[in-house]
């Protein structure tokens, strides 16, 4: 079984929909999902570290390494060291990350450099 | 009617352009994200390097931690709410036996729901082995289907999670139905062609579920064996809000962990679990122990009893 401590507050359905619409095979779908997974993991770590005093960064990382699935222990640690309940803040950060990724996934009008005319 | 060659070529390049274009965009985004984190917090990179930890692969690491903890008995899933006094199996069985000893009543959905509510945690999430054993007993005695959370050493990523509505899968090359997913399912087509489409294949697609095989601890290492084992594997899905139950088969991998869901269900599966507007909900999902392939796919009939506050959906 695989679980990360923030899995219960992340809902990137639209991102998964967008990826499914594009992927032409299961392998491709899994590859794209893996890339998004990596983006989310790095972003979540960055957002959590933004909220923690620097002296507690290693404590968080150690917990994340030891028990990455343990939502209660990790959130307790972060809340205690940051002095507030950051769960809602992190949920909002995740929504923003989702919008960011969706923005990347939405087709844009590519313009040819040579002619200045849309490639569509 | 075939498309002119030029149009076919343009369609092909447009599709290829789109998926390749998106893959490259996402890869670039991934690189930007890593750079942003490691430039802002260089000590993070140092820590991760020392531990040999790659945030791209942290889910695999999580799976290993969880598996190791379960094997050594040291893993305790912290319960966010005060721990409950789990009912002893004998008291659950007594409830069922007392009920069954009365005249031949149809299966009582209320008994199932009451027992499930006593066992399941407040928050939807992974179950302990003890909880799974109790649910196996309840399901086996009330619904009459032999189910297992762990079958032949295999265990789903979770047995209690949210199921979401999936699209129909292409059953054969060129298949075209309403609300169909682009591309094939994880295990490919159900038949080689329309003329080879059997009743069995039709039923398999109709009653399919998606499970997160991609997050199994050693999915990649055991790919050949695991892929074969899970293909069309029967599962029992129970809607924990209203007790509706359906026998489904695994025919798709997913959804992604970051969708907030742990399972997917075909339109028919979802309809049987909660009606035409049911698109997401909490379910338990266990393997059906059916070596002789006798258990049919589809909904399991319950008597229609109106429970207070619970809308029963006729199946």
């Amino acid at each position: 079984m695989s679980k990360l401590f923030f899995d219960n507050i992340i809902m990137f359905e639209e991102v998964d929909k967008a990826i499914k619409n594009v992927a032409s095979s299961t392998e491709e779908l899994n590859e794209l999902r893996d890339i998004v997974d990596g983006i989310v993991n790095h972003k979540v770590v960055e957002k959590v570290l933004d909220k923690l005093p620097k002296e507690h960064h290693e404590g968080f990382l150690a917990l994340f390494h030891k028990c990455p699935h343990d939502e209660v222990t990790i959130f307790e640690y972060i809340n205690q060291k940051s002095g507030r309940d950051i769960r809602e803040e992190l949920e909002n950060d995740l929504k923003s990350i989702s919008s960011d990724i969706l923005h990347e996934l939405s087709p844009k009008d590519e313009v040819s450099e040579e002619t200045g005319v849309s490639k569509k | 009617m075939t498309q002119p060659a030029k149009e076919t070529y343009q369609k092909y390049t447009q599709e290829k352009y789109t998926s390749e274009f998106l893959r490259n965009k996402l890869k670039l985004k991934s690189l930007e994200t890593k750079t942003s984190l490691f430039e802002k917090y260089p000590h993070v990179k140092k820590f991760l390097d020392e531990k040999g930890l790659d945030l791209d692969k942290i889910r695999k690491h999580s799976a290993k931690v969880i598996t190791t903890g379960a094997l050594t008995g040291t893993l305790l899933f912290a319960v966010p709410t005060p721990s409950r006094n789990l009912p002893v199996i004998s008291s659950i069985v007594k409830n069922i036996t007392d009920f069954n000893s009365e005249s031949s009543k149809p299966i009582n959905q209320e008994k199932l729901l009451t027992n499930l509510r006593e066992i399941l945690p407040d928050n939807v999430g992974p179950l302990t082995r003890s909880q799974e054993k109790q649910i196996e007993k309840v399901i086996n005695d009330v619904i009459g289907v032999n189910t297992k959370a762990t079958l032949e050493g295999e265990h789903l990523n979770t047995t209690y999670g949210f199921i979401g509505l999936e699209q129909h899968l292409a059953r054969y090359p060129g298949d075209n139905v309403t609300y169909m997913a682009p591309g094939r399912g994880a295990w490919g087509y159900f038949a080689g062609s329309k003329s080879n489409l059997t009743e069995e294949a039709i039923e398999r697609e109709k009653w399919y579920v998606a499970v997160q095989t991609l997050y199994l601890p050693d999915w990649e290492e055991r790919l050949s064996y695991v892929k074969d084992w899970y293909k069309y594997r029967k599962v029992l899905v129970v809607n924990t809000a209203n007790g509706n139950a359906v026998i489904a088969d695994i025919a798709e991998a997913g959804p992604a962990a970051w969708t907030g869901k742990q399972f997917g269900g075909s339109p028919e599966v979802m309809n049987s679990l909660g009606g035409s507007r049911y698109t997401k909900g909490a379910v338990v999902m266990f393997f059906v122990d059916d070596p002789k392939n006798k258990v049919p796919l589809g909904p399991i009939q319950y008597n229609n009893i109106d429970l207070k506050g619970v809308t029963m959906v006729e199946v």
Side-chain angles (χ1 to χ4, degrees):
Chain A
M1 200 200 79
S2 170
K3 183 181 183 295
L4 296 180
F5 74 93
F6 52 84
D7 275 350
N8 283 343
I9 59 171
I10 185 169
M11 274 167 220
F12 282 19
E13 278 191 63
E14 293 302 317
V15 172
D16 202 38
K17 224 181 267 184
I19 286 173
K20 274 177 166 174
N21 280 340
V22 165
S24 55
S25 69
T26 305
E27 290 75 20
E28 203 168 273
L29 178 60
N30 286 341
E31 189 194 353
L32 294 174
R33 278 175 170 163
D34 277 346
I35 299 172
V36 171
D37 210 29
I39 294 170
V40 168
N41 297 341
H42 284 83
K43 271 290 182 192
V44 166
V45 167
E46 183 182 342
K47 292 298 177 187
V48 168
L49 295 177
D50 284 348
K51 300 174 202 315
L52 280 174
K54 193 178 174 185
E55 62 266 28
H56 299 304
H57 284 186
E58 197 157 315
F60 161 70
L61 291 171
L63 269 181
F64 192 38
H65 176 245
K66 186 183 172 191
C67 49
H69 59 278
D70 196 341
E71 165 182 5
V72 172
T73 304
I74 294 180
F75 271 118
E76 253 175 29
Y77 178 86
I78 299 170
N79 291 346
Q80 195 183 54
K81 302 303 180 188
S82 65
R84 64 190 191 280
D85 188 347
I86 63 108
R87 201 177 174 103
E88 200 177 315
E89 281 178 46
L90 195 58
E91 277 187 54
N92 290 332
D93 289 332
L94 285 165
K95 282 177 190 161
S96 163
I97 294 168
S98 170
S99 300
D100 208 16
I101 295 174
L102 277 173
H103 180 74
E104 295 292 329
L105 292 175
S106 58
K108 291 182 181 57
D109 193 8
E110 295 284 319
V111 176
S112 164
E113 285 183 14
E114 292 169 359
T115 63
V117 174
S118 168
K119 286 179 182 175
K120 280 192 180 177
Chain B
M1 189 170 82
T2 57
Q3 283 180 310
K6 186 183 173 187
E7 285 181 20
T8 308
Y9 176 73
Q10 284 175 344
K11 184 171 179 287
Y12 171 75
T13 52
Q14 188 178 28
E15 283 171 356
K16 198 153 171 50
Y17 175 75
T18 308
S19 65
E20 264 185 48
F21 172 72
L22 285 182
R23 188 195 294 115
N24 291 336
K25 288 215 83 179
L26 282 177
K27 281 186 171 173
L28 189 61
K29 185 76 188 164
S30 172
L31 190 60
E32 283 171 7
T33 308
K34 286 177 197 175
T35 307
S36 167
L37 172 62
F38 297 141
E39 279 183 359
K40 199 192 274 190
Y41 302 114
H43 53 288
V44 171
K45 178 126 183 29
K46 186 168 175 277
F47 178 91
L48 294 174
D49 287 344
E50 280 169 5
K51 298 288 182 191
L53 195 58
D54 180 355
L55 287 180
D56 282 338
K57 296 184 170 53
I58 189 84
R59 283 199 187 274
K60 209 169 177 176
H61 170 72
S62 167
K64 283 194 179 130
V65 168
I66 291 170
T67 306
T68 307
L71 286 172
T72 60
T74 58
L75 183 73
L76 289 172
F77 279 102
V79 179
T81 55
S83 57
R84 317 170 90 188
N85 292 321
L86 292 174
V88 178
I89 289 183
S90 58
S91 72
I92 296 173
V93 173
K94 186 177 185 309
N95 285 343
I96 297 165
T97 309
D98 285 348
F99 170 73
N100 284 339
S101 66
E102 297 168 24
S103 58
S104 54
K105 278 190 181 175
I107 294 167
N108 190 321
Q109 223 150 335
E110 186 167 1
K111 283 285 183 187
L112 176 71
L113 285 170
T114 303
N115 282 306
L116 283 179
R117 282 172 194 150
E118 284 182 354
I119 301 166
L120 291 172
D122 286 340
N123 290 336
V124 177
L127 300 175
T128 64
R129 194 70 196 101
S130 170
Q131 287 167 328
E132 287 175 342
K133 277 288 181 198
Q134 291 176 73
I135 292 173
E136 282 172 8
K137 182 73 179 158
V138 168
I139 288 174
N140 293 353
D141 288 344
V142 176
I143 300 180
V145 176
N146 190 12
T147 60
K148 295 271 186 291
T150 301
L151 184 64
E152 297 173 18
E154 297 298 328
H155 190 285
L156 291 171
N157 192 39
T158 185
T159 48
Y160 181 38
F162 288 106
I163 191 169
L165 175 64
E166 298 279 340
Q167 293 170 295
H168 277 296
L169 298 174
R171 296 165 301 177
Y172 53 84
D175 193 9
N176 188 8
V177 298
T178 314
Y179 198 56
M180 200 172 84
R184 299 175 296 171
W187 281 270
Y189 294 119
F190 294 78
S193 64
K194 188 175 180 179
S195 55
N196 290 340
L197 188 64
T198 61
E199 194 55 41
E200 187 182 38
I202 292 170
E203 289 294 290
R204 278 179 172 157
E205 191 281 328
K206 189 176 176 184
W207 302 108
Y208 90 86
V209 289
V211 300
Q212 292 175 322
T213 47
L214 66 166
Y215 298 126
L216 293 175
D218 45 5
W219 167 253
E220 284 166 4
E221 289 82 358
R222 301 188 303 135
L223 184 61
S224 174
Y225 170 78
V226 178
K227 202 165 179 180
D228 198 47
W229 194 92
Y230 280 85
K231 184 179 181 180
Y232 307 146
R233 178 66 54 173
K234 283 184 197 162
V235 291
L236 172 73
V237 190
V238 179
N239 181 339
T240 56
N242 63 13
N244 284 3
V246 63
I247 302 288
D249 65 291
I250 295 172
E252 179 65 307
W258 28 264
T259 58
K261 294 173 286 185
Q262 291 70 43
F263 312 111
S266 70
E268 279 80 0
V269 163
M270 297 302 282
N271 186 54
S272 76
L273 287 173
S276 57
R277 285 182 294 176
Y278 180 72
T279 57
K280 182 179 175 180
V283 297
V284 290
M285 187 181 293
F286 283 48
F287 294 121
V288 176
D289 192 1
D290 181 29
K292 292 183 180 167
N293 194 23
K294 286 189 178 300
V295 180
L297 296 173
I300 297 176
Q301 300 294 336
Y302 281 85
N303 53 308
N304 291 334
I305 298 176
D306 278 327
L307 301 179
K308 288 176 190 167
V310 177
T311 303
M312 302 305 293
V313 177
E314 185 169 13
V315 292

